Amino acid sequence: MRISVIGCGYLGAVHAAAMASQGHDVIGVDVDPERIAALRAGRVPFHEPGLEALLGEGMRAGRLRFSAEVADAADAEVHFVAVNTPQRLGGDEADLGYVEAALTALRPHLAPGALVVGKSTVPVGTARRLAPLLGGRAELVWNPEFLREGHAVDDTLRPDRLVYGVGDEPAAAERATALLDAVYAPQLAAGVPRIVADRETAELVKVSANSFLALKISFINAVADVCAATGADVTLLADAIGHDARIGRRFLGAGLGFGGGCLPKDIRAFGARAAELGEDSIGSLLREADRINLGRRHRAVELLRTALGGGLRGRRIAVLGLAFKPDSDDIRDSPALSVATELALLGAEVVAHDPHAVAKVRVARPELRCVDAAVDAVAGADAVLVLTEWREYRDLDPAALAAATPARLILDARNCLDATAWRAAGWDYRGLGRHEHPVDALVA
Ligand SMILES: NC(=O)c1ccc[n+]([C@@H]2O[C@H](COP(=O)([O-])OP(=O)(O)OC[C@H]3O[C@@H](n4cnc5c(N)ncnc54)[C@H](O)[C@@H]3O)[C@@H](O)[C@H]2O)c1
């Protein structure tokens, strides 16, 4: 198939490379000329494991090209729209300006019979409302994306499910389904479930999935506060309730909460859209989840303040982790970056490290001091704060690191370290939402 992907960010670049890897002839289009220049040179402008190799493979095979000109996508049979849908400044709603611009730009270049497929996350009703922008030259369907940054290549090649949201007209819906089936032939052959629905359902599937995950994280964080107040241990609790197959252990990691370019803005946009429709229950549920989540950041700062005996000004704090999650350099609405920034504003001397996000932080927050090795951040620190659960930090040797700082105070805001091992190496270890001195698993 001849495919175009409009918007080559975290979603689009991966989608383009993945589609080329399964034999399609793909062109990626983006309005950012620097992004296009990097991709053309075979460089991924962000950190995503496995993407650079896939990109190089597709380009060498002649199946993957990039352009800043949408006109270069004119011969595509299927156009995927993967542009950003950020939170609107000053409101909770999604800003659909980029989707509108992409569809408008595409319109004069649509070949007869072309299909336009939205992949961006949008409020329910968007496809129906924006379809006229194509001027009747192509059908607009929605095929939401569920990839996780850090696992995006694998998630795109082997998704949990495919959801097609097609239009009301039966012949057009059938044709769109057949085209998407051809695009995703390898996934379908591998048995990936495919759900064909109306466009509204497809749009709602995506925001409902993200909202459910957000609720799960905020639920465990709310429970974590009760654990902290009573001496109970939230990680053991999560293990125990997670064994119930109806609940499951995933997304029950108590700590600093969620962030990034998706969950926060998606739950807000869902609440705003539901309110427009006169339905406020989901909005109030999600607003509470949002409030609990944002509160984690403040709680981490306060826990550190208490652990340091009250004062933050002038204290040297090693911050380990700045990305919103491990295996990504994405710092959009990153809880880690937000805590690091707050500490610096409160007068602490912050020395930060992240395995991949430092380059982005140096641009976004030039005032924050970043170093290239975790041990350099820890050296001489009054406290160490783990804010992103990178493998590199989980693998740190507490005994070796103890020599770097006489204070030996560590706040594990992601509850990702082995508390017993750190305490045994002489550290004052504290978790977020855990009692200061919990009874660790009594029987290993
Ligand atoms: N990042 C994720 O993990 C993820 C997962 C699932 C869904 N999504 C959704 O996918 C969409 C994109 O997210 P992202 O993280 O890739 O964003 P991003 O900001 O990384 O990428 C968006 C890209 O679109 C480009 N763009 C904007 N307007 C354009 C236009 N008119 N023509 C061509 N290119 C244009 C931008 O320059 C940018 O490179 C959002 O709706 C997001 O909610 C993201």
Side-chain angles (χ1 to χ4, degrees):
M1 306 276 300
R2 290 187 308 279
I3 289 176
S4 93
V5 180
I6 314 294
C8 296
Y10 284 93
L11 188 167
V14 177
H15 192 67
M19 293 303 105
S21 82
Q22 49 197 56
H24 300 305
D25 182 5
V26 182
I27 180 161
V29 177
D30 201 292
V31 286
D32 178 347
E34 276 179 32
R35 179 149 287 195
I36 290 299
L39 290 165
R40 274 185 172 156
R43 272 186 293 111
V44 176
F46 46 86
H47 177 73
E48 185 56 53
L51 181 55
E52 201 147 290
L54 204 68
L55 191 79
E57 201 182 283
M59 290 172 79
R60 279 190 301 278
R63 285 197 300 268
L64 181 58
R65 297 171 294 139
F66 291 96
S67 172
E69 302 298 332
V70 69
D72 291 339
D75 70 345
E77 298 156 275
V78 179
H79 299 271
F80 286 100
V81 177
V83 301
N84 36 331
T85 51
Q87 185 174 342
R88 191 173 64 74
L89 275 180
D92 279 350
E93 306 87 352
D95 177 352
L96 294 174
Y98 301 91
V99 178
E100 288 166 8
L103 295 178
T104 307
L106 204 48
R107 173 180 170 160
H109 305 292
L110 290 165
L115 179 69
V116 180
V117 184
K119 280 207 93 58
S120 303
T121 303
V122 293
V124 58
T126 298
R128 189 176 294 275
R129 186 173 68 78
L130 299 187
L133 290 179
L134 299 177
R137 294 168 63 104
E139 178 80 359
L140 179 63
V141 301
W142 224 264
N143 165 222
E145 177 57 55
F146 303 96
L147 66 80
R148 298 160 300 163
E149 285 176 27
H151 305 269
V153 169
D154 205 45
D155 286 350
T156 306
L157 293 172
R158 284 170 283 276
D160 291 335
R161 74 291 209 193
L162 290 163
V163 177
Y164 305 170
V166 297
D168 307 328
E169 209 274 301
E174 208 171 296
R175 194 174 160 275
T177 303
L179 280 169
L180 284 171
D181 280 354
V183 170
Y184 295 121
Q187 284 81 3
L188 295 172
V192 170
R194 181 199 72 168
I195 292 148
V196 182
D198 52 275
R199 295 180 293 195
E200 285 73 17
T201 302
E203 290 162 336
L204 275 171
V205 165
K206 174 63 194 176
V207 291
S208 304
N210 274 3
S211 298
F212 190 77
L213 296 174
L215 286 172
K216 216 173 160 188
I217 298 171
S218 283
F219 170 81
I220 199 67
N221 278 327
V223 173
D225 289 343
V226 183
C227 289
T230 56
D233 187 290
V234 71
T235 57
L236 293 177
L237 178 146
D239 289 345
I241 64 172
H243 281 300
D244 184 331
R246 294 169 304 174
I247 297 173
R249 179 64 173 84
R250 294 171 77 191
F251 276 69
L252 285 184
L256 199 52
F258 58 83
C262 291
L263 256 57
K265 59 110 175 150
D266 288 350
I267 63 171
R268 291 171 201 151
F270 191 12
R273 181 68 183 124
E276 274 172 20
L277 295 163
E279 298 297 339
D280 201 41
S281 304
I282 189 70
S284 52
L285 197 58
L286 293 172
R287 272 192 297 281
E288 189 57 18
D290 201 7
R291 191 190 65 76
I292 292 167
N293 188 57
L294 290 172
R296 309 310 294 165
R297 305 172 187 193
H298 184 60
R299 194 167 274 264
V301 171
E302 288 313 308
L303 199 63
L304 182 67
R305 190 200 293 279
T306 309
L308 284 169
L312 287 167
R313 183 161 297 278
R315 308 304 292 274
R316 184 172 162 144
I317 313 297
V319 160
L320 300 185
L322 294 164
F324 89 97
K325 63 183 275 191
D327 299 317
S328 174
D329 63 349
D330 197 345
I331 53 168
R332 289 177 289 184
D333 202 349
S334 165
L337 185 58
S338 149
V339 168
T341 307
E342 190 176 340
L343 289 172
L345 287 171
L346 290 168
E349 183 195 340
V350 174
V351 186
H353 173 264
D354 188 282
H356 286 279
V358 161
K360 287 205 162 136
V361 172
R362 284 189 171 132
V363 174
R365 296 267 197 291
E367 68 283 8
L368 212 59
R369 183 167 160 217
C370 296
V371 292
D372 294 323
V375 65
D376 292 339
V378 172
D382 292 312
V384 178
L385 206 48
V386 178
L387 298 180
T388 313
E389 64 275 38
W390 285 95
R391 162 112 261 148
E392 175 180 337
Y393 303 147
R394 285 187 274 141
D395 289 346
L396 284 170
D397 176 356
L401 220 56
T405 159
R408 292 181 199 168
L409 169 64
I410 186 156
L411 170 57
D412 177 8
R414 292 292 182 181
N415 295 320
C416 63
L417 304 178
D418 178 347
T420 312
W422 283 79
R423 291 202 176 101
W427 287 80
D428 176 359
Y429 169 93
R430 300 173 192 222
L432 184 59
R434 297 169 90 176
H435 193 255
E436 237 169 73
H437 300 289
V439 184
D440 288 322
L442 294 175
V443 184

